Amino acid sequence: MTEGLSGCVFCRIVAGEAPAEIVHETDRIIAFRDRNPRAPVHVLVAPKDHVDSAAEIGPEHGDMLAELFVVAAHVARAERVAESGWRMVTNTGPGAGQSVFHLHFHLMGGRSMGWPPG
Ligand code: 5GP
Ligand code: ZN
């Protein structure tokens, strides 16, 4: 881990240095509950290796992203929202509401969802 990432809260969760309720993990992916849930099911799905945001995704991330979405579908089933429906969203940049600059997808479900998200 580079020095700049030691202050990244999600890198600290991955390293076991900060607490989180982890619901699933693989070699490359971690899924844990958002500490400020905005839906009955609100899980953050993230790569263990630091990527700042979706703006930094390149072709080398293809396998990791495929695994991330497989994990998301697994978590949706485990959290019993597979039938009722769920949403995955990643805020990219402060103007879109990104507040943690370690790539993550919000997996949300358990209530009806408005569109477009505001
Ligand atoms: P963003 O605003 O970047 O799209 O999403 C960041 C999310 O991370 C927010 O929903 C916020 O509640 C959550 N979050 C921030 N810090 C922590 C933390 O230390 N632990 C957990 N579990 N969630 C966090
Ligand atoms: Zn990080």
Side-chain angles (χ1 to χ4, degrees):
M1 190 186 297
T2 62
E3 190 178 312
L5 303 183
S6 60
C8 171
V9 62
F10 289 180
C11 281
R12 287 172 52 75
I13 287 171
V14 168
E17 297 168 3
E21 189 182 342
I22 297 168
V23 296
H24 193 74
E25 64 182 312
T26 66
D27 284 351
R28 281 188 288 212
I29 305 297
I30 188 167
F32 55 96
R33 293 195 198 284
D34 196 295
R35 72 172 176 192
N36 182 23
R38 303 303 183 94
V41 173
H42 188 171
V43 171
L44 303 176
V45 190
K48 290 185 171 178
D49 286 346
H50 186 95
V51 178
D52 282 349
S53 78
E56 307 304 321
I57 289 171
E60 70 274 20
H61 296 119
D63 289 350
M64 176 276 286
L65 287 169
E67 189 170 314
L68 188 151
F69 277 85
V70 170
V71 166
H74 171 89
V75 171
R77 288 191 294 273
E79 296 288 321
R80 306 203 175 283
V81 294
E83 298 292 326
S84 55
W86 48 286
R87 179 174 288 175
M88 281 270 277
V89 63
T90 185
N91 299 322
T92 306
Q98 186 176 7
S99 61
V100 175
F101 289 83
H102 178 130
L103 177 65
H104 57 281
F105 292 77
H106 298 257
L107 189 174
M108 306 176 85
R111 64 165 168 81
S112 61
M113 298 279 169
W115 189 262

